[in-house]
Amino acid sequence: MTIRRRDLLVGVAGAGMCAFSPGFTAPLAARTHAQRSSGGSSQTYRRGFDNQRIPDLGNGTFLNPVVSGDRPDPAILKDGADYYMTFSTFDAYPGLTIWHSRDLVNWRPLDAALTRNIGSVWAPSLHKDKGRYLLYIPVKAKPQNDIFVAWADDITGPWSDPIPLGLPNHIDPCHAVAEDGSRWLFLSGGDRVRLSDDNLSLAGAVEHVYDPWRYPSDWIVEGFSPEGPKIHHIGGWYYMITAVGGTAGPPTGHMVIAARSRSLHGPWEHHPGNPLVRTESVDEAWWSRGHASLVEAPDGSWWSLYHGYENGYWTLGRQCLLDPVEFTPDGWFRMTGGDLSAPIVKPPGGAAVTHGMPLTDDFSAPLALGSKWAFFKPDADEAARATSGNGVLRLKGKGAAPSSGSPLLLTAGDRSYRFECDIELAPGGRAGLILFYDDKLYCGLGFDAERFVTHQYGRERARPTNPHGGRMRMRVTNRRHIVTYDTSGDGGKTWHRFDRGMEVSGYHHNVRGDFLMLRPGLYAAGPGEAKFRDFRFTALED
């Protein structure tokens, strides 16, 4: 089927990303990476830093997710023997942390590329063109949305200040180079716009070039929402991968479709096997799978990275999944990993980096902002609130509660975990530990010198007497959405259960919106600065 231009789509929503490498070549032969039977989602993960689950099983196979926790809209770049990836970071700053791998399975965080708050960051796109690294950054902001571009000569930065492109009506940019050398950004809704030769400004008007494949009308989806275009030039074909069906909502909604053309200028023909990826049942291990792109492994085989929600764990956000790809004799491709519930044979070749990072922090060094910790909706000078060193994090109070205080948060990727910290108040101040979705939905436990404050449903509720005074050790346990709090006045030798447990399975996007996750963290409010010592995170095995 040939796709022709038509009037601009309206009402597009969602997020996505793209990867493009003009040096890609077609695989010499189709390669199949068979999925090994293992008992599905009951498979036991290996454990890494802080007992966190890791994907590499150590026997030549891996188990998804390859990057756990809220890592939506993966933007992947192959750069020689190295792979770099970043994700949507929304209102967390510093944002757009760059992750590095050499085998597509083991990933470690580097530094954040975006330090200035320009709004809520959706579905970035990471590329390299003419020796320069490029990030295209769609932003939801007031008074106007836009897409920004930032560049760097080295992947670790420094990155330029983001440059607005003047694209308020689109999301999900994807950089691509046409056969005639022209540069383009493909956008949500089947649109594109020409770029200047230096990739840093527009060189034309937005035009409509593609009408995506439509799924049957009786499928249960969130909405059509064509978004997340990814363009790949492989073996004489331009392949366009698109997400449709909505990125959350019903678990069966999100899906991956594809089209191809001999020219970047079209016309585009639909993949005869659409959709290539779709969650078909709520019994599957991963829900709402979509926003895919292709990447070539060290051995020349092909793989796809996309995101999905873990069954029953909307609270963990959309996690990063890796799916083997097989090219077929007719020049099309298909994903072969099934529902991704069982181990998959790793891509051959490539050296494994140490996966992940410890979330435990003894505060002996400067605060790892961006790679580990991030503020929620920070002001321009937010980083000045936090000083870390010599075993103490000093955090200046802000606002009256987590809702107004730009809390300091982590991204946890396990279904169950515990975190604890020693907290010392400033006179008149308040502080505590929280599980934070956004400034309207969070829970946790705080205290002043006389009373506790219970955070529940994004509100401040009960205020029982605090027997410990202005300093205590506090512990939060989240075991499969059941949350308990314990406090200690003797440095953790004796623990006292706080008389208010909570259930947080509803603290997620389908209740509150905005595509975030429930993050552990800490906050300080009121005058002075709170002192935090010996922050410990431990993932708990189910």
Side-chain angles (χ1 to χ4, degrees):
M1 179 179 179
T2 299
I3 307 303
R4 303 187 185 281
R5 303 185 187 202
R6 65 170 176 81
D7 294 337
L8 174 67
L9 291 174
V10 296
V12 177
M17 64 89 216
C18 140
F20 170 76
S21 177
F24 280 175
T25 57
L28 296 176
R31 295 172 169 87
T32 301
H33 291 260
Q35 194 175 50
R36 295 186 180 179
S37 176
S38 68
S41 58
S42 63
Q43 171 68 31
T44 301
Y45 289 92
R46 288 180 69 214
R47 297 284 166 169
F49 295 118
D50 305 326
N51 202 44
Q52 298 174 67
R53 58 182 176 175
I54 58 177
D56 194 332
L57 299 183
N59 61 359
T61 69
F62 72 93
L63 188 62
N64 278 296
V66 289
V67 189
S68 60
D70 194 36
R71 315 291 181 183
D73 311 313
I76 180 74
L77 170 67
K78 184 179 189 297
D79 186 22
D82 296 293
Y83 298 90
Y84 300 106
M85 188 160 55
T86 193
F87 309 92
S88 297
T89 50
F90 302 104
D91 295 299
Y93 281 87
L96 295 181
T97 299
I98 305 295
W99 289 68
H100 173 244
S101 176
R102 289 202 151 200
D103 65 357
L104 294 176
V105 171
N106 296 281
W107 294 87
R108 67 184 182 97
L110 302 177
D111 294 322
L114 183 61
T115 57
R116 180 169 69 89
N117 187 347
I118 57 175
S120 182
V121 173
W122 291 38
S125 192
L126 177 63
H127 308 276
K128 188 177 184 182
D129 189 40
K130 299 180 179 179
R132 171 185 281 177
Y133 296 94
L134 299 164
L135 268 170
Y136 292 93
I137 311 166
V139 166
K140 300 284 186 177
K142 294 181 179 180
Q144 181 172 277
N145 301 335
D146 208 339
I147 295 177
F148 291 74
V149 59
W151 60 270
D153 292 322
D154 188 283
I155 192 68
T156 60
W159 287 83
S160 72
D161 194 57
I163 303 166
L165 292 176
L167 292 167
N169 300 318
H170 291 83
I171 54 174
D172 301 4
C174 171
H175 179 274
V177 180
E179 64 274 18
D180 59 12
S182 56
R183 267 79 181 154
W184 297 83
L185 269 191
F186 280 71
L187 305 163
S188 56
D191 295 347
R192 72 172 186 174
V193 64
R194 187 165 182 174
L195 291 169
S196 59
D197 288 343
D198 65 3
N199 297 302
L200 301 182
S201 61
L202 304 185
V206 173
E207 58 185 29
H208 186 73
V209 294
Y210 171 60
D211 294 328
W213 175 86
R214 291 294 299 243
Y215 44 80
S217 61
D218 62 345
W219 284 12
I220 301 174
V221 300
E222 186 182 39
F224 186 40
S225 301
E227 59 200 26
K230 298 90 174 171
I231 306 293
H232 303 277
H233 191 200
I234 305 172
W237 289 101
Y238 287 92
Y239 294 96
M240 183 190 300
I241 306 177
T242 304
V244 295
T247 193
T252 56
H254 209 27
M255 65 194 83
V256 176
I257 65 172
R260 71 180 182 184
S261 173
R262 288 294 186 185
S263 169
L264 191 65
H265 307 303
W268 298 90
E269 62 173 317
H270 292 313
H271 194 304
N274 282 333
L276 303 183
V277 172
R278 178 180 179 241
T279 302
E280 297 182 2
S281 167
V282 295
D283 296 327
E284 292 183 25
W286 295 96
W287 293 346
S288 302
R289 292 186 289 150
H291 284 281
S293 63
L294 301 179
V295 64
E296 187 181 16
D299 73 322
S301 61
W302 288 86
W303 296 75
S304 180
L305 284 154
Y306 51 82
H307 64 221
Y309 287 102
E310 192 163 359
N311 188 320
Y313 288 87
W314 302 104
T315 52
L316 287 177
R318 293 166 293 171
Q319 305 185 58
C320 183
L321 310 172
L322 181 63
D323 196 337
V325 169
E326 178 185 59
F327 274 82
T328 51
D330 58 5
W332 287 109
F333 59 90
R334 63 188 184 96
M335 283 43 160
T336 64
D339 70 356
L340 305 187
S341 63
I344 297 171
V345 176
K346 288 175 56 179
V353 300
T354 301
H355 182 81
M357 62 180 162
L359 298 182
T360 292
D361 200 331
D362 64 4
F363 303 126
S364 61
L367 196 64
L369 281 172
S371 59
K372 181 186 299 188
W373 296 97
F375 286 105
F376 179 79
K377 291 186 177 180
D379 293 329
D381 61 348
E382 204 74 44
R385 289 180 59 210
T387 304
S388 176
N390 298 317
V392 181
L393 167 65
R394 293 172 171 83
L395 183 63
K396 293 181 181 178
K398 180 181 179 181
S403 58
S404 55
S406 295
L408 195 56
L409 307 172
L410 300 166
T411 297
D414 282 83
R415 294 179 290 245
S416 299
Y417 53 84
R418 175 182 294 130
F419 60 103
E420 61 182 73
C421 194
D422 181 279
I423 307 171
E424 182 180 358
L425 299 175
R430 297 174 297 283
L433 301 182
I434 52 175
L435 290 167
F436 190 90
Y437 183 81
D438 69 0
D439 50 5
K440 300 293 191 301
L441 186 60
Y442 55 89
C443 69
L445 184 63
F447 69 103
D448 59 30
E450 297 179 352
R451 292 187 176 275
F452 290 107
V453 54
T454 305
H455 306 293
Q456 194 170 17
Y457 320 121
R459 294 178 298 208
E460 282 55 65
R461 296 171 64 87
R463 295 292 309 273
T465 299
N466 164 21
H468 305 306
R471 181 171 180 176
M472 73 175 73
R473 190 162 185 85
M474 185 178 292
R475 183 168 69 192
V476 179
T477 301
N478 178 2
R479 189 179 290 276
R480 290 178 171 256
H481 295 138
I482 305 301
V483 177
T484 55
Y485 307 101
D486 295 281
T487 65
S488 174
D490 58 8
K493 296 176 182 177
T494 305
W495 290 98
H496 305 275
R497 175 61 48 88
F498 185 73
D499 187 26
R500 182 64 66 91
M502 301 180 191
E503 198 280 336
V504 296
S505 62
Y507 286 49
H508 60 75
H509 168 81
N510 284 349
V511 172
R512 172 68 188 131
D514 289 339
F515 300 104
L516 307 177
M517 75 167 290
L518 192 62
R519 301 175 191 267
L522 48 86
Y523 79 96
E529 61 180 24
K531 297 178 181 179
F532 297 85
R533 298 176 177 88
D534 189 26
F535 181 91
R536 300 182 194 176
F537 179 95
T538 305
L540 306 175
E541 299 185 39
D542 297 324

